Amino acid sequence: MSDILIVDDETAIADLVEVCLKNEGYTVHKFYNATDALNCLNHCEPDLAILDVMLPDMDGFALCQKIRERHLFPIIMLTARVEDMDKIMGLTLGADDYITKPFNPLELIARVKTQLRRYTRYNQAEPVRETEEYDFRGLQICKSNHKCFLFGKELSLTPLEFSILWYLCEHRGSVVSSEELFEAVWGEKYMDSNNTVMSHIARLREKMNEPSRKPKFIKTVWGVGYTIE
């Protein structure tokens, strides 16, 4: 069964999440501050992390960013902040999902299972086939080993970021709407107010050192979607 990292300084919340996850058979590593969680990651590789935003020694966004420097496992932000900008910030820094307090424990478990399924699926090795690699204008992306290189330098992409870039490469030359991209990658119904795609595109561009106004690879077609030419 999977290992889950929980970081939340609210003891009652952390304990509740721990009980819910253990009841599902998960192994839980629970901490009340970011420092102890980062120390744990020096000798433990969890399959998923649940991070609170308001921590005593470091905010959850900064912790998320530090984790993303070395790890690709899914991250779910758990917080009382409900403003759209907070959500966008968390996703841009590398989080995969966002749940606000108070939350339904059943929904949290469902989100955890969804993220773990995606992470497992995206990291399964598959037989190498010629159709599973794209190489153009300095961008090389291979589906069989989930590696991506830009001008010879490997990009450290999360499974979701890789899947977005792969889907755009598959549809190179066509404009892909946010709705199509979200439903293809996340496998869920797209909502009009959903900023998830925009946040992940911004993160991808940042990792590719793409200028925001005139990107060379992932281009925005305003009012329509995104394309790779």
Side-chain angles (χ1 to χ4, degrees):
M1 207 37 149
S2 301
D3 286 37
I4 310 292
L5 173 68
I6 301 172
V7 190
D8 196 320
D9 66 334
E10 293 187 65
T11 305
I13 297 295
D15 292 347
L16 172 63
V17 174
E18 179 184 29
V19 169
C20 292
L21 292 172
K22 284 187 173 181
N23 285 342
E24 294 292 325
Y26 297 111
T27 299
V28 174
H29 305 274
K30 180 179 63 176
F31 300 97
Y32 303 115
N33 60 72
T35 301
D36 290 342
L38 289 172
N39 288 335
C40 172
L41 291 177
N42 289 328
H43 53 81
C44 173
E45 178 73 15
D47 299 288
L48 181 144
I50 300 173
L51 312 180
D52 185 28
V53 169
M54 303 299 291
L55 296 172
D57 53 346
M58 178 189 303
D59 72 64
F61 294 140
L63 176 57
C64 176
Q65 196 168 23
K66 278 188 170 293
I67 290 175
R68 277 289 171 255
E69 292 174 0
R70 294 189 299 158
H71 305 277
L72 297 177
F73 54 76
I75 295 176
I76 297 175
M77 304 299 293
L78 183 63
T79 175
R81 294 188 180 183
V82 297
E83 293 85 354
D84 284 344
M85 286 308 299
D86 285 334
K87 180 174 182 178
I88 293 171
M89 180 183 294
L91 295 172
T92 301
L93 292 174
D96 298 278
D97 204 352
Y98 189 103
I99 301 177
T100 55
K101 302 175 183 177
F103 60 91
N104 184 326
L106 294 178
E107 179 187 1
L108 176 63
I109 294 300
R111 299 279 191 96
V112 166
K113 290 181 177 180
T114 296
Q115 292 298 332
L116 287 173
R117 279 197 303 270
R118 289 175 185 150
Y119 185 59
T120 301
R121 184 172 72 247
Y122 293 158
N123 285 278
Q124 285 178 340
E126 300 175 1
V128 177
R129 294 187 291 271
E130 291 184 1
T131 55
E132 294 196 342
E133 182 173 348
Y134 292 97
D135 185 349
F136 60 94
R137 292 168 42 217
L139 177 65
Q140 297 173 294
I141 183 168
C142 182
K143 189 175 183 181
S144 62
N145 58 16
H146 282 262
K147 288 186 178 294
C148 182
F149 295 85
L150 185 61
F151 303 120
K153 181 180 179 181
E154 185 172 1
L155 300 179
S156 179
L157 303 181
T158 66
L160 280 174
E161 290 165 352
F162 182 95
S163 188
I164 290 170
L165 187 56
W166 179 263
Y167 192 84
L168 290 174
C169 287
E170 276 188 315
H171 297 80
R172 183 183 172 194
S174 301
V175 180
V176 178
S177 68
S178 295
E179 178 179 1
E180 177 186 346
L181 190 56
F182 183 85
E183 294 184 358
V185 174
W186 276 263
E188 299 174 6
K189 186 66 177 175
Y190 179 84
M191 304 298 290
D192 290 341
S193 60
N194 197 321
N195 293 306
T196 304
V197 172
M198 179 182 67
S199 301
H200 281 80
I201 291 290
R203 180 66 172 170
L204 262 175
R205 285 173 172 161
E206 180 183 336
K207 291 185 175 182
M208 297 171 73
N209 293 316
E210 286 264 71
S212 58
R213 293 191 175 183
K214 292 185 177 181
K216 296 180 180 179
F217 289 95
I218 304 175
K219 298 186 178 181
T220 300
V221 180
W222 295 108
V224 184
Y226 303 95
T227 184
I228 286 185
E229 298 178 348

